[in-house]
Amino acid sequence: MDASGWLLVASLLAASADAAVPLPADTTVNGDDGVLREIKDRIARFEATGDPTAVYEALECVSSIARDALQQDRAARERVTASWLAFLSGIDPVLDPAWTQGAVPVRGTTPPPDSGPVSAAGEVDPANIADLAERARYVDALKASKDYAKRYSTQIQLHRIDETAMQRFGDWIATRYPSSDPERASIEAAIASTTVDEGRRSRLRSAVLRSNTR
């Protein structure tokens, strides 16, 4: 994804959780199956294109029905809870657990001596490297550097989307399931039965606990 794409996702995430952010024109959110299908389709689009904007669109699909679900509408609340859990379990496979924000990529790689002029991008023309073995090593190192920079950019966006989703999930629980609501037990049952790893399950439970204090 290029810089303009990164800025698009960043600007979208800067929007308030309660803001009405328009969904793409091809989005259809009708009932349980519609929402779950949109989540699945958007994440599949990310896997095919590598564009995190598709994952953000999946988040907005869930946020859109969450905004409309009334506290007194039990069926709507259950549908939204299921949709949040479907989204969060859906993005888990594309989040790299080994990624760390501090491991910022270094631009380019050091070329061999006497490799000719260095471009504004900090690279040299591989054709100027006379030694074929050195040239191959430089090309491989340059590709690895660019690939890592791309993965880093993608993961930082995905992790920010994940953080936004968890924040919105907690906020939604706090506003739609007051701490005195006996239906809160249904949230724990949903979390216990959803297909996420224990790390995610623990984070979900923590979000619910934090919502008790609001």
Side-chain angles (χ1 to χ4, degrees):
M1 177 185 247
D2 58 18
S4 62
W6 186 93
L7 289 173
L8 172 62
V9 173
S11 63
L12 291 172
L13 288 174
S16 166
D18 293 323
V21 181
L23 293 177
D26 61 340
T27 300
T28 303
V29 181
N30 293 319
D32 299 14
D33 292 342
V35 177
L36 299 180
R37 183 176 63 253
E38 287 294 334
I39 294 170
K40 181 178 179 180
D41 289 350
R42 302 290 168 178
I43 292 177
R45 183 180 300 179
F46 163 74
E47 292 174 332
T49 66
D51 184 355
T53 305
V55 183
Y56 175 80
E57 292 171 356
L59 169 60
E60 279 306 308
C61 287
V62 182
S63 297
S64 68
I65 66 165
R67 283 189 290 267
D68 296 335
L70 300 177
Q71 180 179 329
Q72 63 268 29
D73 189 336
R74 178 179 178 180
R77 292 194 303 177
E78 290 178 350
R79 180 173 70 249
V80 173
T81 298
S83 297
W84 276 122
L85 296 179
F87 172 79
L88 292 165
S89 63
I91 65 171
D92 275 347
V94 300
L95 289 169
D96 181 359
W99 178 87
T100 58
Q101 186 170 346
V104 179
V106 177
R107 187 179 183 183
T109 187
T110 304
D114 303 321
S115 301
V118 179
S119 71
E123 303 174 14
V124 301
D125 184 348
N128 293 332
I129 303 174
D131 186 294
L132 296 182
E134 288 285 350
R135 181 190 301 177
R137 280 192 289 270
Y138 176 73
V139 170
D140 288 346
L142 193 60
K143 181 179 184 303
S145 175
K146 291 179 178 179
D147 287 348
Y148 177 73
K150 182 178 180 180
R151 287 195 301 273
Y152 181 90
S153 174
T154 298
Q155 285 298 316
I156 195 171
Q157 293 172 77
L158 292 176
H159 279 77
R160 286 174 177 172
I161 290 171
D162 178 43
E163 291 170 4
T164 299
M166 289 296 295
Q167 180 65 48
R168 292 186 185 182
F169 171 74
D171 291 345
W172 185 81
I173 293 296
T175 57
R176 299 306 194 276
Y177 286 88
S179 56
S180 59
D181 193 331
E183 290 296 325
R184 274 206 167 219
S186 67
I187 304 173
E188 170 55 33
I191 291 173
S193 63
T194 194
T195 54
V196 295
D197 63 32
E198 284 308 308
R200 171 71 74 182
R201 205 181 311 278
S202 176
R203 291 177 64 201
L204 289 168
R205 286 171 173 150
S206 294
V208 173
L209 287 173
R210 284 195 301 273
S211 72
N212 286 334
T213 63
R214 300 182 195 179

